[in-house]
Amino acid sequence: MKKYLKGILATTMVLSMTAALAGCSGTTSETPASDETAEGGETKDTLIMATSADFPPYEYYENQEIVGIDAEIVKAIGEKLGYEVVIEDMNFDSIISAVASGKADLAMAGLTVSEERLQSVDFTDSYATSQQVIIVKEDSPITTVDDLFAEGANHTVGVQTATTGDIYTTDDIEAAGLGTVERYTKATDAIAALTAGKIDCVIIDSEPAKSYVAANEGLKILDTEYVTEEYAIALAKDSELTEPVNTALQELIADGTVQSIIDKYITAE
Ligand code: ARG
């Protein structure tokens, strides 16, 4: 956990809030270290969340601020546990190492739980289910997911670097000799390449796909899905935060807070 220097006023305010929260939830463990330094009035425990803010409706910029489902869930967790949350935007392919090395306390980034990632980080329970889908131009000859994997297929597929879309297509398309994978640091750049006709499709998570298709003329999502996945919060292996963060998440799921945050950003079809 990082400590940030804070103004006395802000610290006092947050401390009393923390005390109130601790009181009503009966929390006794994990007293923020700032309680001890309250006399000095200078520090406040901060949770650094790593994300890649190119992924609406989970994390994206609105008036220079990172908003979205993940941004709101982490703030609710911070409030419950008495931490101030600072969201740090970075390239997606840096997120897991930022958490594993302790540069960030946790990550929320529409981040899929995978066996490979579990080698380097811990995950909380899942808070959302998602699918990998295919975005094409409206007049694309690709009409189903199977077209990508058909014998003799030779498409250029765009993905965000180090995402599960990258990992799957590297195996299923590139290694299988069924086409080329173009990797982009930011999801937005993959979409721009598709719009510009540089690639044949983009493989990305379903809700961001809907947001991008709504915001860009001439694109559509294929009806068939590629892979189903679960999103969760990543923390350093054996982090002392995993248990409290997971408990807070479970409570926010149980009391309907998580669903109401999701409903705010995703209208049910
Ligand atoms: N769910 C996919 C994964 O975990 C993609 C996540 C991309 N997230 C982002 N914020 N750009 O690999």
Side-chain angles (χ1 to χ4, degrees):
M1 279 157 272
K2 317 279 179 303
K3 287 183 190 68
Y4 270 50
L5 289 183
K6 284 282 153 199
I8 289 172
L9 186 66
T11 307
T12 316
M13 238 173 62
V14 176
L15 282 176
S16 44
M17 211 175 79
T18 306
L21 281 168
C24 57
S25 66
T27 305
T28 49
S29 59
E30 287 285 320
T31 306
S34 49
D35 276 3
E36 278 112 58
T37 55
E39 294 301 289
E42 292 294 321
T43 60
K44 151 97 185 93
D45 268 13
T46 302
L47 276 187
I48 312 261
M49 175 185 116
T51 198
S52 172
D54 55 357
F55 215 59
Y58 296 98
E59 45 268 329
Y60 58 101
Y61 282 91
E62 209 172 75
N63 309 321
Q64 347 275 348
E65 196 200 338
I66 298 174
V67 298
I69 294 169
D70 290 344
E72 292 207 22
I73 292 177
V74 78
K75 278 189 186 137
I77 290 172
E79 259 165 46
K80 238 181 204 302
L81 300 178
Y83 292 106
E84 186 184 338
V85 175
V86 172
I87 301 181
E88 230 167 78
D89 189 14
M90 59 186 73
N91 292 337
F92 184 80
D93 63 358
S94 304
I95 291 177
I96 296 288
S97 62
V99 170
S101 69
K103 256 188 248 160
D105 297 305
L106 49 80
M108 290 186 81
L111 192 60
T112 302
V113 181
S114 77
E115 283 306 320
E116 196 193 333
R117 290 173 183 163
L118 280 165
Q119 310 284 311
S120 37
V121 292
D122 284 347
F123 279 102
T124 61
D125 292 354
S126 164
Y127 63 90
T129 300
S130 171
Q131 287 84 33
Q132 294 291 311
V133 298
I134 323 287
I135 307 179
V136 291
K137 282 202 169 187
E138 258 157 16
D139 57 358
S140 172
I142 303 169
T143 58
T144 72
V145 173
D146 290 342
D147 289 347
L148 292 179
F149 308 111
E151 232 190 287
N154 188 18
H155 299 107
T156 305
V157 173
V159 296
Q160 184 173 23
T161 310
T163 57
T164 48
D166 180 2
I167 295 160
Y168 301 142
T169 54
T170 298
D171 276 0
D172 296 354
I173 293 182
E174 208 167 60
L178 293 174
T180 312
V181 179
E182 286 292 337
R183 299 170 182 85
Y184 299 89
T185 309
K186 289 286 167 192
T188 30
D189 294 333
I191 301 294
L194 176 62
T195 309
K198 290 188 193 146
I199 54 178
D200 297 313
C201 65
V202 168
I203 297 189
I204 193 166
D205 306 45
S206 46
E207 289 303 330
K210 287 183 206 161
S211 300
Y212 280 123
V213 166
N216 292 274
E217 288 278 297
L219 301 181
K220 67 173 185 191
I221 301 170
L222 298 185
D223 290 337
T224 45
E225 287 145 7
Y226 180 19
V227 185
T228 296
E229 310 179 318
E230 297 287 334
Y231 292 166
I233 305 170
L235 297 103
K237 268 205 164 305
D238 305 318
S239 164
E240 55 182 25
L241 279 170
T242 304
E243 207 274 322
V245 166
N246 196 37
T247 304
L249 176 66
Q250 284 169 344
E251 286 168 13
L252 292 165
I253 291 172
D255 73 7
T257 306
V258 166
Q259 192 57 51
S260 68
I261 291 171
I262 292 172
D263 291 345
K264 189 173 146 191
Y265 288 90
I266 301 175
T267 19
E269 280 130 59

